[in-house]
Amino acid sequence: MTQEGYLLRGPRFGIRRIQERDIDLIGGWIFDPELSPEYIARADPEEAEQMDVRALLTPSDEDPGPFYFLALVADDAVGEQVAFVNFLSKNGPPHYLWEGEILVGRRPDGAKGVGTEVFALAIEVLFSETPAQKLWGPIATDNTASLRMAERLGFKWEGFLRQHIPMASGVKDARLGSVLKSEWELPFKLDREEHV
């Protein structure tokens, strides 16, 4: 994997800001009911048709305003996209509270732990590149893989949200988890040269 353009590299993946070349692929992932049933279930069909994924290319740091986002893409060792991570701060300046979501679009050779490694790298970038002090988000109670990933990454459970996440199969209950910048630790070691 070349280091050009990567904010951080982990054992198997590199993380970078979203680029023009990613837009069509990620747009396809977002609207694929197999990959993102939560988004498909809550999207208004007319709104989905008009959604401009290219808006993710606009760096929020140019004009943060009340919303501030960080859109990242993870590539494998040969530079192929494997996941998309989106962080959003809706609390206005000082933008200390962020929500995050990950969409794994491809698992190279059926690899396991893709989401965990990619989301860990993305959280490291979030806490080092933005004013974020807390990352939080709801996870459907029947999404055992995401619940386990959050626990492996040090998330603490803050609450239970009834009928919170719309899915094609119905509205799901969720656990609300968070991790603080002050308690965050990468679950693997990085060599100095892996920081870009």
Side-chain angles (χ1 to χ4, degrees), residues 71-135:
L72 302 169
V73 173
D75 296 332
D76 64 12
V78 295
E80 295 287 323
Q81 301 99 324
V82 295
F84 166 65
V85 180
N86 189 39
F87 293 116
L88 176 66
S89 171
K90 296 188 256 186
N91 65 316
H95 297 292
Y96 65 89
L97 177 64
W98 291 67
E99 288 184 60
E101 59 187 358
I102 181 171
L103 175 57
V104 175
R106 190 173 64 81
R107 296 180 187 281
D109 301 320
K112 295 189 179 215
V114 174
T116 301
E117 181 179 333
V118 168
F119 207 48
L121 290 168
I123 293 169
E124 184 73 12
V125 170
L126 175 73
F127 284 143
S128 63
E129 301 271 324
T130 74
Q133 297 299 309
K134 179 178 181 176
L135 173 63

Side-chain angles (χ1 to χ4, degrees), residues 49-50 88 163 179 181 185:
E49 284 179 20
Q50 296 173 5
L88 176 66
Q163 302 241 330
V179 64
K181 181 177 182 175
E185 285 185 40

